[in-house]
Amino acid sequence: MSTDSIILGVRDLSKSFGGVTAISGWCLDLARGEILGMIGPNGAGKTTAFNLLTGVLAPSSGRIVLHGRDLTGSGPEAFARGGISRTFQNIRLFQDLSVWENVAVGLHMHEGPGWIATVIGLPSARRRERTIREKAEALLETVGLAGMGSRRAGDLPYGLQRKVEIARALATGPSVLLLDEPAAGMNPSETAHLTETLRAIARAARSHAGEPVTMVVVEHDMRLVMSLCTRVQVLDRGVLLADGAPAEIQRDERVIAAYLGSGRKKDRADAVA
């Protein structure tokens, strides 16, 4: 992997809570435009990894470098402004706001006209608000929600609410988008639609720097991971167990054992296929 293509570097990252080690010696070189899947049994450390990559938690040791800038120990705002955005396993929309207003919240971080211009009512503020609305509607089209901007977010079906949350995360113009179990609670049809939406994002979405959005997906649905991701990392009890192409991961005996332990090889392989 070319050094110039690396957008996010993680070096020997560890996090302990008292005497419990949640992540130990984790390393990652994430290439621009890559779709990385992160899988592992419950308690493997995936959520801790996301919390470290967004500044919610400070590592016990190791380094996090984004765009060549060391963000180790910085708070969530520094990671967000540096270009990392995320969604959550439990949807966190503003239920009483419209769909486009939810997306506009993300756009205001970089596109907002400022409070002085807004209070005074300057023409520049009105122009920026129009721009924000146009960009929000474009993002909704990207995630398959064209024409739904005026609807109350809380009235949408679960699967569509998940897409609103993804659009809001994209609205910050991230270089790296972290998706925490985006298919959680979805039926097979909704998951299939979501997979296509994520492919559309990979093709069309751009960061504020004009680069393709790089994605990291934590997910238990193996069909989504194996069909969408270009590379997969497997964590087991906080340790990086395997890192490779989806086909390699599916054949890795260590991965199969971590998921289901002993048993018939075919049955175990099917679980990560």
Side-chain angles (χ1 to χ4, degrees):
M1 186 183 298
S2 168
T3 303
D4 292 340
S5 70
I6 296 172
I7 192 170
L8 175 66
V10 175
R11 292 288 175 270
D12 296 318
L13 207 64
S14 296
K15 179 62 181 180
S16 297
F17 300 93
V20 178
T21 300
I23 290 284
S24 179
W26 178 40
C27 293
L28 169 66
D29 282 330
L30 190 63
R32 186 176 291 104
E34 189 173 13
I35 306 176
L36 175 73
M38 188 179 295
I39 66 174
N42 289 331
K46 304 182 297 294
T47 297
T48 299
F50 265 27
N51 287 336
L52 290 168
L53 292 181
T54 52
V56 173
L57 294 174
S60 302
S61 61
R63 298 173 62 225
I64 303 172
V65 178
L66 178 66
H67 293 297
R69 179 186 173 196
D70 194 331
L71 293 179
T72 310
S74 301
E77 182 178 349
F79 278 83
R81 294 206 173 271
I84 293 183
S85 185
R86 73 172 291 180
T87 65
F88 294 86
Q89 182 177 349
N90 299 316
I91 294 174
R92 301 185 182 185
L93 294 179
F94 298 106
Q95 298 286 321
D96 290 329
L97 295 183
S98 70
V99 168
W100 90 263
E101 286 171 332
N102 269 275
V103 178
V105 168
L107 286 164
H108 269 279
M109 187 171 90
H110 291 286
E111 306 282 349
W115 69 271
I116 294 178
T118 301
V119 170
I120 296 175
L122 294 178
S124 61
R126 293 192 292 273
R127 287 194 299 270
R128 294 303 290 270
E129 289 297 335
R130 283 196 299 272
T131 299
I132 285 172
R133 180 147 197 156
E134 290 168 0
K135 290 187 175 183
E137 290 173 350
L139 284 169
L140 291 175
E141 184 173 358
T142 297
V143 301
L145 296 176
M148 297 188 185
S150 62
R151 294 180 61 177
R152 179 179 175 273
D155 292 337
L156 294 181
Y158 181 87
L160 298 187
Q161 288 191 35
R162 180 69 72 183
K163 290 185 177 183
V164 176
E165 187 179 44
I166 293 171
R168 185 175 63 185
L170 285 171
T172 65
S175 302
V176 181
L177 175 63
L178 309 179
L179 300 169
D180 191 355
E181 297 197 30
M186 289 187 177
N187 61 40
S189 176
E190 289 172 327
T191 300
H193 283 297
L194 174 67
T195 304
E196 290 306 312
T197 296
L198 296 179
R199 288 196 180 104
I201 289 169
R203 290 192 300 267
R206 292 293 183 269
S207 71
H208 278 297
E211 301 171 336
V213 174
T214 304
M215 288 188 275
V216 182
V217 184
V218 164
E219 184 52 66
H220 285 290
D221 190 307
M222 290 299 100
R223 290 186 184 277
L224 184 154
V225 172
M226 297 302 170
S227 66
L228 174 71
C229 298
T230 52
R231 180 162 64 110
V232 178
Q233 280 198 343
V234 185
L235 294 177
D236 184 29
R237 289 171 287 187
V239 176
L240 180 61
L241 185 66
D243 185 337
E248 296 171 353
I249 296 300
Q250 288 174 288
R251 296 190 300 265
D252 194 308
E253 286 290 337
R254 298 169 301 167
V255 176
I256 295 170
Y259 268 90
L260 291 179
S262 61
R264 290 194 303 157
K265 181 177 180 180
K266 180 181 184 302
D267 292 341
R268 288 183 284 138
D270 288 346
V272 292

